[in-house]
Amino acid sequence: HDVLEILGFTMSAGISTNKMMAKLAATYGKPNGQAVLHPENFSTILQTTRVRKVRHFGGKLGKQVLNLLQEPSSNAPVVDVDSATMMDLQQVPLPVLQKRFSDDTANFVFEACRGIDHESVKETSGALVKSITAFKSFPPTSNVNEIQNWLSLMATEVVDRVATD
């Protein structure tokens, strides 16, 4: 409540047995709520969680994993990269992952798609904000003046947020 009143931000919290699953749980608590994810529910959540939505799988590693899922030799059913889930990734045996990745990365992927994460939670008190964004929806237009007005509005909002921060 204080964060909302003072800073104008909503907050979400995920609570689970490890950092990765807690972050996934937090997405279910949005906006301005909390969600608890128990280990007995991991498989249910991972069935529908897209690979790219999981921490560490949004960038290069995620792309490599999705490419692997496209190969018939992965021992997993070939799935569309846009709909591939962590449960799909569970179908890839550890030896197949070890042929593609280093042992550490293969083990990380093998465990992560099962909801296992050994990364410790780090203290972030005093951490600086990494990004400030502004979003606006407006109807399609080719009118330069309208576009400039929207850009000006967003730029002003970002400047205000930076000043407040």
Side-chain angles (χ1 to χ4, degrees):
H1 177 74
D2 288 347
V3 170
L4 182 60
E5 287 295 313
I6 296 168
L7 300 175
F9 299 136
T10 59
M11 296 179 65
S12 303
I15 302 152
S16 193
T17 57
N18 65 57
K19 187 173 183 174
M20 181 182 73
M21 297 309 285
K23 285 189 168 283
L24 277 178
T27 64
Y28 291 92
K30 290 186 181 208
N32 207 30
Q34 66 182 24
V36 178
L37 182 54
H38 296 278
E40 59 265 22
N41 301 115
F42 285 5
S43 63
T44 303
I45 295 298
L46 294 172
Q47 284 177 2
T48 57
T49 300
R50 291 204 164 73
V51 171
R52 299 288 257 182
K53 295 293 181 184
V54 177
R55 190 167 184 271
H56 297 301
F57 288 88
K60 183 179 170 185
L61 177 60
K63 187 174 183 178
Q64 291 172 338
V65 165
L66 290 171
N67 286 339
L68 177 63
L69 285 174
Q70 296 302 295
E71 299 173 9
S73 63
S74 71
N75 289 3
V78 176
V79 294
D80 177 45
V81 293
D82 293 328
S83 62
T85 67
M86 294 301 274
M87 188 64 75
D88 294 324
L89 188 53
Q90 285 184 23
Q91 306 309 309
V92 181
L94 182 58
V96 172
L97 293 169
Q98 288 170 326
K99 287 180 184 174
R100 176 63 64 94
F101 304 108
S102 70
D103 281 345
D104 286 345
T105 300
N107 288 327
F108 170 77
V109 171
F110 186 79
E111 290 183 339
C113 67
R114 289 163 174 78
I116 301 167
D117 180 24
H118 301 288
E119 184 177 350
S120 61
V121 177
K122 296 172 183 71
E123 172 102 18
T124 58
S125 66
L128 296 175
V129 174
K130 292 182 180 178
S131 65
I132 295 176
T133 58
F135 296 93
K136 298 291 180 205
S137 294
F138 55 91
T141 181
S142 57
N143 182 317
V144 175
N145 288 333
E146 285 182 47
I147 295 169
Q148 285 176 332
N149 287 338
W150 281 108
L151 289 174
S152 177
L153 181 64
M154 286 191 297
T156 300
E157 188 173 326
V158 169
V159 168
D160 288 345
R161 290 181 183 188
V162 169
T164 300
D165 186 54

